Amino acid sequence: MHPLSVPAPDGLPEHLASLGRTLVMGILNVTPDSFSDGGEHDTPEGAIAHARALVAAGADIIDVGGESTRPGAARVAPDEEARRVLPVVRALAAEGICVSIDTMRAEVAAEAVAAGAVIVNDVSGGLADPAMGATAARARTVLGAPPVVVAMHWRAHSATMNALAEYDDTARDVARELGAAIEALEAAGVERSRLVADPGLGFAKDATHNWELLARWDDLAGLGLPILIGASRKRFTAALGQDRDDVTAAITAYSALRGAWCVRVHDAPASAAAVRTVEAIAGHAR
Ligand code: PMM
């Protein structure tokens, strides 16, 4: 076995840029209705306390989201989304926590970067808001550079995405469509070195599609970008008849072994242990 190669984007704070292992992104949904933790952290105080617990448990990044993308979910008004996330982003960034903003809206992304976020996580890969690419390219984080941009494979908003879960060749189709979205972001000014690719497990995909995307890692890696995997507690993780967080941690170990840059999870301790375990094993390879 060879030591792991973990490609990472430019634009991260130094303590994370130099780690050389898969990072753990802890999920902080400040929404009343998300996939699994909806409603638990819908006051700024509750959200901030939960984020601190995630960091204490080994999360490297906190991903703050104010709009649910659960299948069937309706959209949240832009003002309401900003009202939910900005105080939380500001407070966490002030504590030195590396913050990612989970939004499809350019305006919310810009405000969140101004409030201290260094990563823009757009589940639509720039497709939902045509201003996202140029806005992210223009923005400057507290580090004085544009943010990292996570571009996820996406076909449509949550209300309609399940009807679009059809592929000829899942991994190749996803890589091609995501590649096109990434090219559009680059054309809008986002530097390639700051981009991260995410296959978008569960978004216009059924369980078979999700497993296939994980299995055919090289198709996604062929995009030549760092990879983020968001499997946490999604419906397909329950199909094995095991606890969803346990299955998530197993997917984290697999993703780390394949060289993922980051995993996005609700339950930090098990994934933090998994990425450190894979790092320890890789460190003893020759
Ligand atoms: N999944 C959800 C939300 N944001 N962001 C990225 N980059 N990748 C994902 O897979 C992803 C995401 C939906 O899950 P949640 O409602 O449990 O947060």
Side-chain angles (χ1 to χ4, degrees):
M1 181 178 152
H2 298 289
L4 289 179
S5 143
V6 183
D10 289 344
L12 294 169
E14 186 48 36
H15 73 282
L16 296 182
S18 56
L19 273 184
R21 63 158 164 79
T22 302
L23 302 183
V24 174
M25 175 184 271
I27 300 171
L28 189 64
N29 286 319
V30 196
T31 62
D33 66 339
S34 204
F35 269 178
S36 54
D37 68 346
E40 286 171 42
H41 322 300
D42 56 358
T43 64
E45 298 72 27
I48 292 160
H50 185 62
R52 287 192 190 122
L54 287 166
V55 170
D60 303 294
I61 299 165
I62 297 297
D63 189 42
V64 181
E67 180 174 49
S68 171
T69 47
R70 181 176 48 79
R75 296 219 63 188
V76 171
D79 287 0
E80 171 64 11
E81 187 187 348
R83 191 192 64 76
R84 290 177 184 177
V85 295
L86 294 179
V88 178
V89 170
R90 204 168 289 119
L92 298 181
E95 293 187 17
I97 294 172
C98 179
V99 177
S100 161
I101 177 69
D102 187 342
T103 186
M104 288 183 269
R105 291 190 169 107
E107 200 183 314
V108 175
E111 289 177 314
V113 169
V118 299
I119 301 170
V120 173
N121 174 24
D122 180 355
V123 298
S124 82
L127 297 179
D129 184 341
M132 183 61 92
T135 302
R138 231 182 3 250
R140 292 294 176 272
T141 71
V142 286
L143 303 169
V148 173
V149 176
V150 178
M152 198 190 82
H153 175 262
W154 184 89
R155 283 185 162 177
H157 286 288
S158 300
T160 53
M161 67 180 178
N162 281 351
L164 300 174
E166 282 193 31
Y167 300 86
D168 290 330
D169 179 320
T170 313
R172 229 186 295 157
D173 293 354
V174 166
R176 190 188 59 250
E177 293 172 21
L178 182 56
I182 285 165
E183 272 180 31
L185 288 168
E186 288 186 78
V190 179
E191 292 165 282
R192 191 166 177 81
S193 67
R194 296 180 191 279
L195 279 159
V196 171
D198 179 339
L201 302 180
F203 287 79
K205 289 157 200 98
D206 63 24
T208 304
H209 299 137
N210 295 333
W211 293 120
E212 230 176 303
L213 285 164
L214 287 167
R216 289 181 50 196
W217 191 275
D218 292 342
D219 287 67
L220 195 65
L223 289 169
L225 294 176
I227 293 174
L228 185 146
I229 294 293
S232 191
R233 293 185 185 167
K234 288 184 181 167
R235 201 173 298 153
F236 79 106
T237 63
L240 299 180
Q242 309 292 317
D243 176 85
R244 289 185 192 210
D245 281 328
D246 290 348
V247 176
T248 300
I251 294 174
T252 291
Y254 168 80
S255 302
L257 202 50
R258 300 300 309 250
W261 166 64
C262 187
V263 290
R264 180 181 179 278
V265 299
H266 299 86
D267 177 51
S271 281
V275 298
R276 285 160 178 79
T277 302
V278 171
E279 181 190 22
I281 294 169
H284 290 81
R286 36 175 174 162

